[in-house]
Amino acid sequence: MPPLTNSSAAATQVDRTGRGMAFGVGAYFLWGIVPAYWPLLQPAGSVEILAHRIAWSLVVMAVITAALGRWAGIRGLSARGWAMVAMASVLIAVNWGVYIHAVNTAHVVEAALGYFINPLVSVLLGVVVLRERLRVPQYAALGIAVPAVVVLAIDYGRLPWISLVLACSFGVYGLLKKTVPLDATASLTAESLVLAPIAVGYLVWLGPTGTFLSHGWGHAVWLASAGLVTAVPLLLFGAGARLVPLVTMGMLQYLAPVLQFAWGVFVVHEPMPASRWFGFALVWLALAVFTADTIRLRRRPRESNAQASRVLRSEHPNSTLSAPADLPER
């Protein structure tokens, strides 16, 4: 097979990037519109919905894991690995349960706030747990976020506990996931395996008082579809993350809370007094500072790669190489 020319390699990269962006946007779009889904499962309560989500997620993820041939990694997981999976399972169950409760009790905007501040919580966890050093813009972003939470606490008349629980549970969950030697698909399957006995036991205990069998087949189908609602965005995210740089996926992550916020404000018309708008504006300013610093930091290696590529072409004008092997252009 003849080597790729610069133009064909560039076209291939553009195609990969385009497909990766499409997968990433699809994942975050689905996560962004999920507030429209959970109310469809009522009159089931939040705990019953959570139990069905866990149980049906295991069914869907088991099929996907088998199709992708990922069961070997789960079977080979060490005792320490399973301990990390168990802790991650508790955190994701808390995150899912609080989010379902928030959506079904008209706190969509507060839930969206949790995912806006999640990147900042992750930075704070890196400092506290991993002893990472903050850069000046990160200090600035956190310095803006703290008064934002204070403003919102005054506005709500309480701490925005839904936002804080969602942000902290997902932040620690992400930290634990770094210690589990499984990809996202196999990891969620393993977490579902840990949680499913509790979820199924709860549904059996509910028996006839649950809504799965007492509200018609349509309601039962909606509850069972929670497995697909969990799995499909995850698969799209995984496909996108393999095709585009992680910094790109990081920028796309804001699409989900933006859509959730818009749903809460413009569709279900949750109250947004001026003080609450001010608090959110501070959060968005903090994210703008954080994001600009992230982009600036990621551009440095790319600029170095481009400079190396120009030097290589000047020294070897007839070469079809675009960069040294150890400095790939993405």
Side-chain angles (χ1 to χ4, degrees):
M1 182 177 179
L4 291 175
T5 64
N6 285 345
S7 59
S8 60
T12 300
Q13 182 60 39
V14 168
D15 178 65
R16 283 173 55 86
T17 301
R19 286 187 290 118
M21 287 288 290
F23 289 138
V25 169
Y28 285 114
F29 175 79
L30 291 175
W31 279 322
I33 63 171
V34 78
Y37 171 74
W38 299 118
L40 299 175
L41 307 188
Q42 293 177 329
S46 298
V47 178
E48 183 182 357
I49 293 172
L50 174 63
H52 276 287
R53 182 178 190 180
I54 293 168
W56 294 108
S57 290
L58 176 59
V59 174
V60 174
M61 296 307 301
V63 172
I64 293 171
T65 301
L68 296 177
R70 306 280 172 81
W71 278 108
I74 296 175
R75 287 194 295 267
L77 205 57
S78 66
R80 181 180 181 277
W82 277 111
M84 294 298 103
V85 166
M87 286 190 284
S89 302
V90 172
L91 288 166
I92 200 60
V94 169
N95 186 273
W96 286 355
V98 170
Y99 187 81
I100 293 167
H101 167 78
V103 171
N104 285 355
T105 56
H107 290 87
V108 178
V109 170
E110 190 176 347
L113 174 63
Y115 291 108
F116 276 124
I117 66 176
N118 178 66
L120 302 176
V121 170
S122 296
V123 169
L124 191 59
L125 286 171
V127 174
V128 174
V129 179
L130 303 179
R131 304 298 180 187
E132 295 176 352
R133 297 181 62 182
L134 289 181
R135 299 183 297 277
V136 172
Q138 292 177 320
Y139 274 116
L142 289 173
I144 297 169
V146 171
V149 173
V150 173
V151 168
L152 289 167
I154 295 172
D155 172 76
Y156 281 113
R158 57 173 173 79
L159 275 177
W161 71 268
I162 290 174
S163 307
L164 295 175
V165 169
L166 289 175
C168 293
S169 61
F170 202 71
V172 179
Y173 174 74
L175 197 64
L176 285 174
K177 294 275 276 190
K178 295 178 184 295
T179 68
V180 178
L182 297 173
D183 60 55
T185 302
S187 182
L188 183 57
T189 305
E191 291 157 19
S192 299
L193 281 169
V194 171
L195 294 171
I198 301 171
V200 173
Y202 175 77
L203 293 173
V204 171
W205 176 79
L206 277 181
T209 63
T211 64
F212 185 73
L213 299 176
S214 60
H215 283 72
W217 65 269
H219 179 69
V221 170
W222 276 118
L223 285 171
S225 68
L228 288 174
V229 168
T230 300
V232 171
L234 177 71
L235 293 175
L236 289 173
F237 176 84
R242 287 193 295 269
L243 296 173
V244 297
L246 285 178
V247 67
T248 303
M249 298 299 286
M251 298 305 102
L252 289 177
Q253 73 176 312
Y254 299 126
L255 175 62
V258 164
L259 290 173
Q260 293 167 12
F261 177 83
W263 183 270
V265 174
F266 301 113
V267 178
V268 297
H269 305 292
E270 293 183 11
M272 280 295 292
S275 55
R276 198 166 301 174
W277 278 109
F278 180 63
F280 269 85
L282 288 176
V283 170
W284 295 330
L285 177 60
L287 287 176
V289 172
F290 173 79
T291 303
D293 176 63
T294 302
I295 294 173
R296 179 188 59 82
L297 193 67
R298 295 300 180 99
R299 276 180 177 170
R300 288 179 180 176
R302 295 177 65 183
E303 290 171 355
S304 300
N305 292 354
Q307 183 178 3
S309 178
R310 287 193 295 271
V311 170
L312 179 66
R313 284 195 293 267
S314 66
E315 293 177 351
H316 305 280
N318 297 323
S319 172
T320 59
L321 295 175
S322 60
D326 59 339
L327 291 172
E329 293 190 59
R330 300 192 65 175

